[in-house]
């Protein structure tokens, strides 16, 4: 295995190191467009500008409890109730010495009051009067601007919008946030043996699990998948499907047809369509025959055919680029956790990514996994464990790199 940088003239059929492949992908420039989206339609998009608050939050001193607004210095006295203030009401009376106003949660607290006594901490003391019966009370007033002040940064550009961010945008009146345009990703699956999932496989068929899996992975991260069907294993069919997909897509992902078989036409069909290939083989397990290239602004990945390989290489290599195309600086949720058992492998020539789950002690347990077609192993997995090149074994208790999936 040689370093990519070592080649003045790049030969894509040379196997490159996994980290090298990540670097090659990471250095490719991306072009980002923006659009304004309705707030209700913006979850999963990436904010393209800083958003500032147009108001103090809360906009007035707001009661946090149902109770009585009064002066703390009066808590020892019998208190006359001078009005009732509901949420949305403007207080009509000034609270004087020995007085209070009945107040509801969310209502505006009169300026003269410095605390709201919970209704549970009071008792009636004659008609129209109450008395504080608690030992002490919190202030129970959310002060104007204590969450955020008018003009403060509410959300920075680059935020991947989750439901809680949608609430923040709503609260500061940003109803049409400017977000990055969603990349469109064409998904092509190859293989004469592949049939769509509604067909019950007969003698030589394999159901297409990569296509639906990729569509779900792409849509699940907020990009837009366009499924283009199953492509037959001939250079002509593969070439024309690629040609069609290249126009109007921001990225094309193919699965299968990238290995060394007699009918693996994807790399050559890509090149014939003018796609520059940056690598064709990566020292990673699973996923050695992974192809990455570009034509103009369109990125192309050829992923291995086996569904676990396709899943893992999407996670490791495609996702960071796709997020970058969405304007988001993605960092894999990686951590170090202790092994729950001894684990070893016979060959250590490539970094390996193994499906793992957590045992009851929060330790890492490699899933019962017999290879990259074994999607059922992935079904119960919590994450992927990385075992670097040259490492043959882990002992129970060793801290290992894992990322949640
Ligand atoms: P290939 O890379 O085309 O040689 O495919 C490698 C393996 O993955 C073969 O066993 C294929 O049958 C399988 N495979 C390829 N494409 C898919 C797919 N879309 N869904 C499920 N398995 C597939
Ligand atoms: Mg194939």
């Amino acid at each position: 295995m040689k370093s990519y940088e070592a080649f003045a003239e790049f030969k894509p059929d040379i196997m490159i190191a996994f980290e090298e492949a990540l670097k090659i992908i990471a250095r490719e420039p991306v072009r980002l467009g923006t659009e304004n989206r309705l707030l209700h339609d913006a979850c999963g998009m990436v904010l393209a500008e800083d958003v500032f608050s147009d108001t103090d939050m809360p906009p007035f001193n707001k009661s946090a409890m149902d109770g009585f607004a009064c002066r703390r210095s009066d808590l020892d006295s019998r208190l006359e109730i001078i009005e009732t203030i509901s949420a949305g009401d403007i207080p009509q009376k000034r609270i004087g010495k020995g007085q209070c106003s009945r107040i509801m949660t969310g209502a505006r607290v009169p300026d003269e009051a410095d605390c709201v006594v919970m209704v549970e901490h009071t008792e009636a003391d004659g008609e129209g009067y109450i008395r504080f019966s608690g030992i002490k009370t919190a202030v129970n007033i959310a002060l104007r601007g204590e969450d955020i002040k008018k003009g403060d940064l509410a959300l920075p550009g680059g935020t991947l919008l989750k439901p809680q961010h949608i609430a923040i945008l709503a609260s500061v009146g940003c109803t049409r946030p400017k977000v990055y345009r969603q990349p469109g990703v064409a998904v092509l699956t190859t293989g004469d043996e592949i049939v769509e999932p509604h067909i019950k496989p007969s003698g030589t068929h394999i159901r297409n699990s990569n296509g639906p899996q990729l569509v779900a992975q792409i849509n699940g991260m907020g990009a837009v998948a366009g499924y283009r069907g199953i492509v037959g294993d001939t250079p002509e069919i593969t070439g024309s499907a690629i040609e069609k997909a290249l126009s109007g897509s921001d990225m094309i992902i193919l699965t299968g047809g990238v290995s060394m078989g007699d009918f693996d036409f994807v790399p050559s069909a890509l090149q014939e369509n003018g796609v520059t290939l940056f690598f064709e083989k990566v020292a990673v397990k699973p996923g050695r025959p992974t192809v990455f290239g570009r034509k103009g602004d369109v990125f192309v990945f050829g992923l291995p055919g086996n569904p676990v390989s396709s899943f893992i290489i999407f996670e490791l290599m495609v996702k960071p680029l796709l997020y970058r195309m969405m304007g988001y600086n993605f960092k894999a949720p990686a951590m170090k956790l202790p092994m729950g058992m001894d684990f070893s492998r016979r060959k250590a020539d490539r970094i390996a990514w193994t499906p793992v789950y957590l045992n009851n002690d929060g330790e890492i347990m490699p899933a019962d996994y017999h290879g990259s077609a074994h999607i059922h192993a992935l079904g119960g997995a919590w994450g992927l464990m990385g075992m670097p090149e040259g490492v043959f074994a882990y002992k129970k208790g060793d801290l290992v790199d894992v990322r949640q999936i």
Side-chain angles (χ1 to χ4, degrees):
M1 193 196 322
K2 302 230 172 87
S3 155
Y4 172 89
E5 307 294 345
F7 289 87
E9 193 187 314
F10 177 58
K11 300 194 179 53
D13 59 326
I14 305 270
M15 178 140 83
I16 61 165
F18 174 67
E19 295 299 334
E20 206 65 36
L22 294 183
K23 269 193 224 157
I24 290 170
I25 296 168
R27 69 168 189 207
E28 283 302 305
V30 297
R31 198 196 293 270
L32 303 169
T34 60
E35 58 179 326
N36 285 86
R37 287 288 272 248
L38 282 175
L39 190 53
H40 288 190
D41 215 15
C43 193
M45 318 278 104
V46 181
L47 201 57
E49 62 184 0
D50 293 343
V51 173
F52 299 91
S53 183
D54 69 342
T55 178
D56 290 338
M57 274 280 287
F60 51 85
N61 293 339
K62 190 178 73 163
S63 179
M65 293 292 167
D66 294 321
F68 295 90
C70 64
R71 305 167 184 218
R72 187 176 281 278
S73 55
D74 285 351
L75 282 180
D76 291 337
S77 330
R78 183 174 183 241
L79 296 172
E80 180 194 2
I81 306 169
I82 55 169
E83 68 170 330
T84 296
I85 310 164
S86 302
D89 284 353
I90 295 177
Q92 299 295 319
K93 302 207 172 147
R94 295 176 61 89
I95 296 175
K97 191 163 171 42
Q99 293 182 319
C100 67
S101 293
R102 187 190 304 277
I103 192 162
M104 309 300 147
T105 304
R108 181 171 176 152
V109 178
D111 292 344
E112 308 77 33
D114 57 8
C115 69
V116 171
V117 175
M118 287 168 70
V119 71
E120 295 88 333
H121 291 171
T122 62
E123 56 194 25
D125 190 358
E127 181 71 25
Y129 287 84
I130 54 122
R131 175 173 290 284
F132 177 55
S133 57
I135 295 158
K136 56 181 183 180
T137 180
V139 174
N140 295 327
I141 300 172
L143 294 176
R144 175 178 180 158
E146 76 174 22
D147 294 351
I148 194 167
K149 293 204 168 37
K150 182 175 176 177
D152 282 355
L153 181 65
L155 272 187
T159 302
L160 176 62
L161 297 174
K162 297 182 185 161
Q164 56 271 39
H165 302 122
I166 300 295
I168 292 171
L169 293 176
S171 73
V172 300
C174 179
T175 55
R176 287 179 59 82
K178 189 181 195 185
V179 296
Y180 290 106
R181 190 178 65 78
Q182 294 172 283
V185 185
V187 173
L188 286 72
T189 52
T190 74
D192 285 338
E193 79 283 27
I194 305 301
V195 294
E196 292 298 11
H198 64 277
I199 294 170
K200 182 142 194 193
S202 62
T204 56
H205 292 158
I206 296 285
R207 274 196 175 122
N208 180 10
S209 36
N210 290 340
Q213 176 173 254
L214 277 168
V215 167
Q217 284 178 297
I218 293 161
N219 289 341
M221 49 177 290
V224 181
Y227 178 59
R228 303 294 181 101
I230 298 166
V231 177
D233 282 329
T234 73
E236 297 75 25
I237 297 176
T238 311
S240 78
I242 290 170
E243 187 185 354
K244 280 199 205 103
L246 278 169
S247 79
S249 305
D250 299 300
M251 181 185 281
I252 305 179
I253 304 180
L254 298 106
T255 67
V258 286
S259 2
M260 298 302 283
D262 290 351
F263 300 95
D264 291 330
F265 299 116
V266 167
S268 55
L270 286 172
Q271 280 170 310
E272 265 158 38
N273 269 291
V275 176
T276 305
L277 297 188
F278 300 128
F279 56 76
E280 258 186 82
K281 278 193 201 70
V282 183
V284 55
K285 184 178 163 68
R288 181 185 356 222
T290 295
V291 176
F292 174 61
R294 167 173 205 158
K295 182 179 183 183
D297 283 335
V298 187
F299 291 102
V300 181
F301 279 96
L303 304 186
N306 273 314
V308 177
S309 316
S310 173
F311 178 90
I312 291 179
I313 297 301
F314 182 95
E315 277 295 312
L316 300 175
M317 294 195 184
V318 182
K319 201 177 218 183
L321 176 60
L322 205 43
Y323 265 138
R324 200 149 58 81
M325 293 166 77
M326 291 169 57
Y328 179 54
N329 182 16
F330 170 72
K331 294 267 178 295
M335 53 196 105
K336 282 204 182 286
L337 289 175
M339 284 297 282
M341 59 182 272
D342 291 350
F343 182 74
S344 64
R345 56 175 176 164
R346 266 178 287 134
K347 281 172 79 180
D349 57 334
R350 294 181 270 165
I351 181 172
W353 293 91
T354 307
V356 294
Y357 62 95
L358 294 177
N359 67 16
N360 289 338
D361 297 323
E363 297 167 327
I364 292 300
M365 302 291 286
D368 182 14
Y369 172 58
H370 57 243
S372 53
H374 191 190
I375 31 177
H376 298 280
L378 212 46
W382 169 86
L384 299 172
M385 170 180 86
M387 205 167 182
E389 196 188 312
V391 176
F392 281 88
Y394 285 136
K395 288 235 161 305
K396 180 173 161 61
D398 283 354
L399 286 180
V400 295
D401 288 319
V402 281
R403 44 197 281 166
Q404 204 177 342
I405 53 172

